[in-house]
Amino acid sequence: MIKPFVIDIPQSTLDDLQDRLAAVRLPAPLPGDDWDTGVPVAWLAGLVEYWRTGYDWRAAEKQLNDIPQYTTEIDGQRIHFLHVRSPEADALPLVLTHGWPGSVVEFLDLIGPLTDPASHGGDPADAFHLVIPSLPGFGFSGPVSEGGWTRERIGRTWAELMSRLGYDRYGVHGGDIGGAVSPEVARAARGHVVGVHVNGGPSLPPMNLSEEEVASLTPLEQDRMARIQEFMREQFGYIAIQSTRPQTLAYGLVDSPVGQLAWIMDKFREWTYPRTTLPEAIIDRDRLLTNVMLYWLTGTAGSAAYVGYAQTEPWGTRKENSGVPTGVLVLAHDVAIRRYAEQDNNITRWTDVGHGGHFAALEEPELLITDVREFFRTLR
């Protein structure tokens, strides 16, 4: 059964948030108070003050509620999703899947241009019906009541969701976790998925390459492998914590809005492009806070971490190739390498871009919209 859903946060919950923000106890800044040791205290204090005095959740809530939303139960789990049908009757259905530390908020700027291109300077023939689910354990699809929510299981769940909606033929797109889930939808329902589009890459390169293989890589590929090694040395800590002790982490993040804010904003600073630019200079500050609010208001920091990184497969595990045409958009931050992605994906379009970060839908919406339109144009 599919039920309409409306976000209606009690005022008492918002009042409690205000009280917590007003009573925040910030740590003493470490020497230098810069991003090398984490989120700087001086910077975060300014964002907390704006969250308390300038940010308007009710405006964000209305913006989200202006979009048709629904819930359904699949495999014992509540699934929340946005569902926006195009005015073009022959539009192609398309699933958009977010990642961590994101949410359905990532895709707000894509909805109009993708569903109604004629009203946004595009060709009506490029129209999509959009289905935008919250990953299990995230936001209004959380928390989770059982384990085992691998990317394969989520892929099967999305296939079931599209079947319930009456869509027999559709495409999929995603980034981050969504970039790993989207190919799994095709593996689960290859007779129904016409194309897979991802930003960042559908699979990761292997970790340990021989010197001979490294020497065979192009300069661009060698740079990406070097940045993977740097990530493993300097940034892997959050994955180690979220994949091994998500419950322990959740106590701090679910109890402290400032803790939740810092945990998420650390990644938005690290993964937006260029890295040295503050995230609010790249992504609208209110949009960043609305994304954080979906974690805070639903208390899903723990279940999002649990689902996002408690996966069973080791890095670089190869999969069966579904044969479904796959398009890949790799922005400057990301590290996908075509020769490895082709081992288990039918790559028919690959675009490397020298700018843009990990959050393509938030940072480079026009570029992403164009790439999605062009990729699916020949698959309708």
Side-chain angles (χ1 to χ4, degrees):
M1 180 183 298
I2 294 174
K3 302 177 182 179
F5 180 80
V6 176
I7 303 172
D8 185 17
I9 302 301
Q11 186 59 43
S12 59
T13 301
L14 301 181
D15 292 342
D16 174 70
L17 172 61
Q18 283 287 313
D19 292 343
R20 291 169 185 259
L21 294 176
V24 62
R25 187 175 72 159
L26 294 171
L30 295 176
D33 197 28
D34 57 30
W35 291 91
D36 288 345
T37 52
V39 179
V41 175
W43 178 81
L44 192 71
L47 187 57
V48 169
E49 181 62 14
Y50 176 76
W51 193 5
R52 187 178 71 85
T53 63
Y55 173 76
D56 185 352
W57 163 254
R58 291 303 186 197
E61 185 180 67
K62 181 182 184 304
Q63 181 184 22
L64 287 165
N65 281 334
D66 285 342
I67 304 166
Q69 300 176 64
Y70 303 88
T71 61
T72 191
E73 184 176 305
I74 301 176
D75 200 9
Q77 177 66 37
R78 182 174 76 161
I79 301 297
H80 162 260
F81 62 98
L82 315 182
H83 184 199
V84 186
R85 288 189 58 84
S86 170
E88 307 297 331
D90 59 350
L92 177 68
L94 179 66
V95 184
L96 303 180
T97 306
H98 65 86
W100 183 91
S103 66
V104 295
V105 169
E106 291 182 41
F107 299 116
L108 293 181
D109 291 338
L110 274 59
I111 292 174
L114 289 179
T115 59
D116 189 8
S119 296
H120 294 81
D123 185 344
D126 289 327
F128 297 92
H129 302 305
L130 294 182
V131 177
I132 310 175
S134 297
L135 286 164
F138 287 67
F140 297 107
S141 285
V144 289
S145 58
E146 62 181 26
W149 282 102
T150 63
R151 63 197 68 175
E152 293 86 358
R153 184 177 178 185
I154 299 171
R156 295 192 298 270
T157 299
W158 281 191
E160 171 61 22
L161 174 61
M162 294 303 279
S163 176
R164 289 188 187 184
L165 292 172
Y167 292 133
D168 184 64
R169 189 172 180 274
Y170 54 90
V172 291
H173 162 80
D176 191 79
I177 298 172
V181 166
S182 294
E184 296 302 337
V185 185
R187 292 185 177 100
R190 66 188 67 191
H192 301 279
V193 178
V194 301
V196 176
H197 186 277
V198 300
N199 61 268
S203 55
L204 294 167
M207 280 293 297
N208 300 311
L209 301 180
S210 67
E211 291 184 8
E212 181 180 4
E213 190 164 3
V214 171
S216 75
L217 301 177
T218 68
L220 177 64
E221 292 170 338
Q222 289 181 350
D223 172 70
R224 289 177 180 171
M225 287 303 302
R227 287 191 287 118
I228 289 173
Q229 297 295 334
E230 180 184 19
F231 174 86
M232 297 301 291
R233 289 193 306 270
E234 300 181 7
Q235 296 188 45
F236 191 77
Y238 80 98
I239 294 181
I241 293 171
Q242 293 200 158
S243 62
T244 59
R245 291 295 185 271
Q247 186 68 75
T248 303
L249 175 67
Y251 291 109
L253 302 189
V254 171
D255 188 58
S256 168
V258 175
Q260 178 70 89
L261 177 67
W263 189 249
I264 288 178
M265 294 312 302
D266 183 82
K267 296 299 162 253
F268 272 92
R269 190 271 180 170
E270 291 295 325
W271 299 346
T272 48
Y273 183 89
R275 179 170 174 255
T276 53
T277 300
L278 292 174
E280 73 269 26
I282 299 171
I283 301 170
D284 178 74
R285 182 169 53 173
D286 284 3
R287 186 63 53 81
L288 290 168
L289 288 171
T290 298
N291 179 66
V292 172
M293 286 289 278
L294 289 194
Y295 286 80
W296 173 254
L297 294 172
T298 59
T300 50
S303 59
Y306 179 68
V307 170
Y309 292 102
Q311 302 292 331
T312 58
E313 293 179 343
W315 181 294
T317 300
R318 304 263 68 93
K319 298 292 194 66
E320 177 189 3
N321 192 325
S322 70
V324 175
T326 299
V328 183
L329 176 65
V330 187
L331 302 185
H333 167 85
D334 284 316
V335 294
I337 295 176
R338 181 168 184 163
R339 66 177 74 185
Y340 301 115
E342 285 179 330
Q343 294 178 5
D344 48 10
N345 299 277
N346 178 23
I347 306 296
T348 59
R349 176 185 174 94
W350 186 282
T351 306
D352 290 310
V353 179
H355 58 88
H358 188 64
F359 305 98
L362 290 167
E363 297 181 63
E364 301 283 350
E366 293 183 7
L367 175 62
L368 180 57
I369 288 164
T370 297
D371 208 70
V372 168
R373 286 173 174 171
E374 292 179 355
F375 172 69
F376 283 105
R377 198 167 283 158
T378 61
L379 301 174
R380 292 172 177 270

